[in-house]
Amino acid sequence: MDNQQFHGTTILAIKTGDMVVVAGDGQVTLGNVVTKHKARKVRRIYHDRIITGFAGATADALTLAEKLEEKLDQYSGSLTRACVELAREWRTDKYLRRLEAMMIAADKENLYLLSGNGDVIEPDEGIISIGSGSTAAQAAAVALIENTDLSPVQIVEKSMKIAADICIYTNHHVTIETIE
């Protein structure tokens, strides 16, 4: 297991008119071995007003979460400004640009995906996902939101279950945080 990193996997976020829901599975792998089943990859930060979720190398993701909190403090809680400045720094800083992680950040008005390429993406339809099971989770959420009367929390729960049933790097232990 030379030079392998711990990885976190699937994060799904939905923003509707009155609610934001962010979920993450609990599986962490080192190479092809599951090392943890109940990791918490979705967290509240900045006075519990912002929810973040990460996928990728765990230490790298935690570094990014700390950096985002610093930016939120610097910009008085403006998630948009903090995300843009973090993405800019992530892309240009010699140390940060080596980080191997992605992040979703949301407050009651905004939902963003951040990447090390300098991306700050706000999804058109209010649904975004990252990690190894992201395609399955996002596809399920899109289908459910358009074709059911389920609540956003129920949609996220069912979508994460579908992702866990398909993706070997995603499990059924899901953490869900909401902002209403």
Side-chain angles (χ1 to χ4, degrees):
M1 290 199 189
D2 54 275
N3 207 19
Q4 291 182 351
Q5 293 184 324
F6 289 97
H7 287 276
T9 53
T10 304
I11 304 295
L12 173 65
I14 295 178
K15 183 180 180 321
T16 63
D18 59 345
M19 179 181 266
V20 175
V21 183
V22 182
D25 76 303
Q27 185 166 303
V28 177
T29 60
L30 178 60
N32 60 0
V33 176
V34 176
T35 57
K36 188 167 178 77
H37 298 280
K38 296 180 181 178
R40 187 168 177 86
K41 297 178 250 175
V42 174
R43 299 176 184 204
R44 288 181 172 275
I45 62 171
Y46 197 75
H47 314 293
D48 290 339
R49 291 184 17 217
I50 294 169
I51 302 171
T52 61
F54 63 84
T58 306
D60 293 353
L62 293 173
T63 299
L64 290 172
E66 288 174 13
K67 284 287 192 184
L68 180 59
E69 278 211 81
E70 288 173 14
K71 297 295 182 191
L72 287 163
D73 286 336
Q74 184 178 353
Y75 296 108
S76 304
S78 169
L79 182 60
T80 301
R81 181 79 187 271
C83 286
V84 168
E85 291 302 320
L86 174 60
R88 182 190 59 74
E89 185 177 342
W90 189 358
R91 184 176 40 84
T92 60
D93 182 87
K94 182 178 173 180
Y95 169 74
L96 289 179
R97 72 174 167 235
R98 292 188 182 146
L99 298 181
E100 295 180 18
M102 295 182 85
M103 177 183 288
I104 288 176
D107 63 13
K108 57 186 180 179
E109 289 92 27
N110 304 290
L111 174 60
Y112 298 115
L113 179 151
L114 290 86
S115 81
N117 296 330
D119 299 318
V120 178
I121 299 168
E122 184 174 23
D124 291 335
E125 303 300 319
I127 301 172
I128 196 88
S129 62
I130 56 175
S132 59
S134 65
T135 304
Q138 188 163 339
V142 168
L144 290 169
I145 208 162
E146 293 179 359
N147 297 299
T148 68
D149 292 327
L150 296 174
S151 73
V153 171
Q154 292 170 317
I155 290 170
V156 166
E157 288 171 340
K158 287 189 178 292
S159 299
M160 290 297 290
K161 181 186 180 318
I162 290 167
D165 288 347
I166 295 171
C167 176
I168 63 170
Y169 294 107
T170 303
N171 72 8
H172 289 91
H173 183 80
V174 176
T175 301
I176 297 175
E177 292 284 349
T178 62
I179 299 174
E180 295 187 59

